[in-house]
Amino acid sequence: MNQPPYTPPESFQGPIAVFGCGLIGASLAAAWSAAGHTVWGCDRRDLTLLLDKGWIRRQVPPEDLPQAKVVVLALPPQGIVAALRRIPFRPGQLVTDTGSVKAPVEQAAKVLPDGVRFIGGHPLAGDTASGFEAARTDLFQGASWVLLPSPAGPARGFLEDRIRELGAEPLTCSARRHDRIVALTSHLPQLLSTALAAEIAALDDPLADRLLGGGGQQFLRLAASPYPLWRDILSLNHEAVTTSLNDLFARASQPVEAQQADFRAANQLLARLGASSRRS
Amino acid sequence: MNQPPYTPPESFQGPIAVFGCGLIGASLAAAWSAAGHTVWGCDRRDLTLLLDKGWIRRQVPPEDLPQAKVVVLALPPQGIVAALRRIPFRPGQLVTDTGSVKAPVEQAAKVLPDGVRFIGGHPLAGDTASGFEAARTDLFQGASWVLLPSPAGPARGFLEDRIRELGAEPLTCSARRHDRIVALTSHLPQLLSTALAAEIAALDDPLADRLLGGGGQQFLRLAASPYPLWRDILSLNHEAVTTSLNDLFARASQPVEAQQADFRAANQLLARLGASSRRS
C-alpha cells in the first residue's frame, strides 16, 4: 500500500524491542516490522531466521534493552516478573508485557524507577503451537487486548495505536478483574482439557480414542499446549483458578434436573458468542 | 454411479423403519434411501419435508413398526428404553438403536420376545444442532459405530453392512465398557462445557465475553447443546459420569508441579489424535 511511512510521536521515536521471540513475540515483530517500525529481537535462541525474514533489524542481548524506546516483555509470566526486577529500565522508556496473569506483573512493576512508563497488557491470542516457527502477522487480528489502567498520555496513546495497528482492540481492565475472568475463560479450559485427556489416557483402553466424537475432540484441543507456559500461568493465578475450579465442580455435581438452568444460560452465552463471531 | 440396485439377504428384505427423525434418524434415512433402501419414518412431528426430499417412503405411526423388517430406534435414550418396553416387536425383526448410553438399553431389551434380534448400537456422531433440519447424508462419514456383542449371523452382518454403507466403522464393545469410556470422552466434555459457560454467565461481567480467546471458545462449543437430550444421557449414565467427574476434579486439583505428567500424557494423546484425524 502507498501509505507514507509511519512517524511515531517524538517521545517514542526509536526501536521497539521485543524480549522473548516465541509465538507472541515473533508475531508482534513480524506485524510491526511490516507496518514500518524498527524492531529489535531479544531471545536466548538464535534469531537469524527472524533477521532473514526482515521481522527484526537486530538481535540484541538483554543488556541493550535499556537503549530501546519501547520494550515489550513477551515472555512466560515468571520471566516477565524476573525481567521487571532485573533489567535496569530507564526513565522515558515505555515498558509493556503480554502475560496472561496480571496481578503479579503489576506488583513486580512497582520496583521500576520513577519515569519508566509501565503499562501491563495481555493480548487474548495464542495457539497450542509455540515458538517463532508458528508466528504469523495476523495472530492478533480481531483479538481483545487488555491494558491495565494507567494515566492517559502519549505512552498509552502510542501503545493503543500499536495494538490497533495489529488489528486488535485495546480495552482497559484492572489486574484483579482480569485475573478472575481469565481464570474462567482461559485457565480452567486449559486445566480441564489437560486433566480430561490425562484421564482418558489413564483408562489405557485401546477403544478410548475411537469413542471420541467431534465434540470431545474439540474440547480436548487445548491439551496440546506446552507445560512450561501453563505451569507459570496456573501457579501465578493459583487462587482465582482454585476458586473457579471449586465453583465449577459444585455446579457440575448438581442433580441433572438442577442443570436445566445452566443449559439455558450456556445456550444463551453460546448464541451470543456465535452472533459476535459472525459479526467479526 | 452405475451399481446394480442393492439386494438384501432374504431374511431382511423389506423396509427399514427409523423411529425418531431428529438429526441422527433423518441423517440415517437420507443416507440409506440414497443407497437404494426403502425407509419408513416415524415421528410425532410431521415428516412431509422428509417425504418431499425422498428420504423416507412413508410416515408410519408407532403401531406399524412391527411390520418393518428392520427398526432403528433413533430417539433420546429414555425414549429408546420406553419403545423397547411398549412396542410389540415380532420374532424375525432386527431392532437396533443409536443411544449414547448402552447399559440401560441392554437391560430394557431383555423384555423383547424370543426371536427378535436386538443389537444395541451407538454412532459417535452428532452435532450441537438438532432436528431433521440439521440432517445430512455425510453425518456418519468416518465415525466409529459401537455395536453391543451379539451372536454372529445374518442380522449382525446386515447391520454392519448398513453401517459401513454410511461411511462409518462398526466395532464391538460391551455396554459397561462403552458407558465408562463415553462418560469421559463425551458426557464429561458436555457437562463441563455447560457448567463453565454457566459460570462465565454468572460472573455477569460485560468484559467476560471479550476475554474469551479462541481456545476457550472451542472448549465451550458443546455448551450450545440442547438440555432434553443431555438430561437423559447424564441421568442414565449417572454413576459413570459422577465417578469420572470426581476423578477429574481430584486430578485438576493437584499442585501444578504434579501436573507435568498430565501435560505429557495429554500432549501424547493429542499428537495421536492429530495423526489419526490427518489420516482420515
Side-chain angles (χ1 to χ4, degrees), chain A residues 35-105:
Chain A
H37 302 283
T38 299
V39 181
W40 293 352
C42 177
D43 203 286
R44 278 178 300 192
R45 293 177 69 180
D46 177 82
L47 300 179
T48 302
L49 184 73
L50 276 62
L51 287 161
D52 289 349
K53 285 174 180 274
W55 290 359
I56 61 172
R57 187 74 63 86
R58 285 175 51 199
Q59 175 163 9
V60 300
E63 300 78 62
D64 287 5
L65 292 175
Q67 314 309 319
K69 273 292 181 183
V70 180
V71 179
V72 181
L73 305 173
L75 298 158
Q78 295 282 23
I80 294 167
V81 168
L84 287 170
R85 288 185 183 140
R86 287 178 202 159
I87 295 174
F89 293 108
R90 287 180 307 106
Q93 282 192 292
L94 164 59
V95 178
T96 186
D97 77 304
T98 63
S100 317
V101 188
K102 296 267 63 81
V105 170

Side-chain angles (χ1 to χ4, degrees), chain B residues 4-178:
Chain B
Y6 169 79
T7 310
E10 182 61 30
S11 59
F12 297 105
Q13 189 90 46
I16 302 175
V18 176
F19 186 15
C21 293
L23 172 68
I24 298 287
S27 295
L28 289 176
W32 280 331
S33 62
H37 302 283
T38 299
V39 181
W40 293 353
C42 176
D43 203 285
R44 275 178 302 192
R45 292 178 68 180
D46 177 82
L47 300 179
T48 302
L49 184 74
L50 277 63
L51 285 161
D52 289 348
K53 284 173 180 275
W55 290 0
I56 60 171
R57 187 75 61 87
R58 284 177 53 200
Q59 175 163 9
V60 299
E63 298 78 62
D64 287 5
L65 293 175
Q67 314 309 321
K69 272 294 182 183
V70 180
V71 178
V72 182
L73 305 172
L75 300 157
Q78 296 281 23
I80 294 168
V81 169
L84 287 170
R85 289 185 183 140
R86 287 179 202 157
I87 294 174
F89 293 109
R90 287 181 306 107
Q93 283 193 292
L94 165 58
V95 178
T96 185
D97 79 302
T98 62
S100 317
V101 188
K102 295 266 63 80
V105 169
E106 187 175 60
Q107 182 62 30
K110 289 187 178 159
V111 303
L112 293 173
D114 284 350
V116 176
R117 282 93 149 203
F118 177 77
I119 306 173
H122 177 211
L124 271 289
D127 202 312
T128 54
S130 60
F132 58 63
E133 299 82 355
R136 48 185 212 264
T137 52
D138 67 349
L139 185 67
F140 307 101
Q141 202 69 46
S144 299
W145 191 305
V146 168
L147 291 179
L148 298 185
S150 73
R156 194 169 185 97
F158 178 85
L159 184 54
E160 292 188 349
D161 286 349
R162 296 293 71 68
I163 290 170
R164 290 198 189 90
E165 202 168 36
L166 300 165
E169 189 183 5
L171 50 89
T172 303
C173 182
S174 73
R176 190 184 156 77
R177 183 178 173 196
H178 167 275

Side-chain angles (χ1 to χ4, degrees), chain A residues 144 146 169 171 177 185 191 199 205 209-211 218-219 221 223 225 246 249 251 259 267 272, chain B residues 144 169 171 177 185 191 199 205 209-211 218-219 221 223 225 246 249 251 256 259 267 272:
Chain A
S144 298
V146 168
E169 189 183 6
L171 51 91
R177 183 178 173 195
T185 60
L191 182 59
E199 281 292 321
D205 186 322
D209 287 13
R210 313 272 297 279
L211 298 196
Q218 258 177 4
F219 184 93
R221 208 163 291 173
S225 300
N246 290 336
F249 178 69
R251 191 182 284 276
Q259 290 179 29
N267 289 174
R272 208 162 68 218
Chain B
S144 299
E169 189 183 5
L171 50 89
R177 183 178 173 196
T185 60
L191 182 61
E199 281 292 321
D205 187 322
D209 288 11
R210 314 274 296 278
L211 298 195
Q218 259 177 3
F219 184 92
R221 206 161 295 173
S225 300
N246 290 336
F249 179 69
R251 190 182 286 275
V256 175
Q259 291 179 28
N267 290 175
R272 208 162 67 218

Side-chain angles (χ1 to χ4, degrees), chain A residues 159-178:
Chain A
L159 184 54
E160 292 188 349
D161 286 349
R162 295 293 72 65
I163 290 169
R164 290 198 189 90
E165 201 167 38
L166 300 164
E169 189 183 6
L171 51 91
T172 304
C173 181
S174 73
R176 187 183 160 76
R177 183 178 173 195
H178 168 275

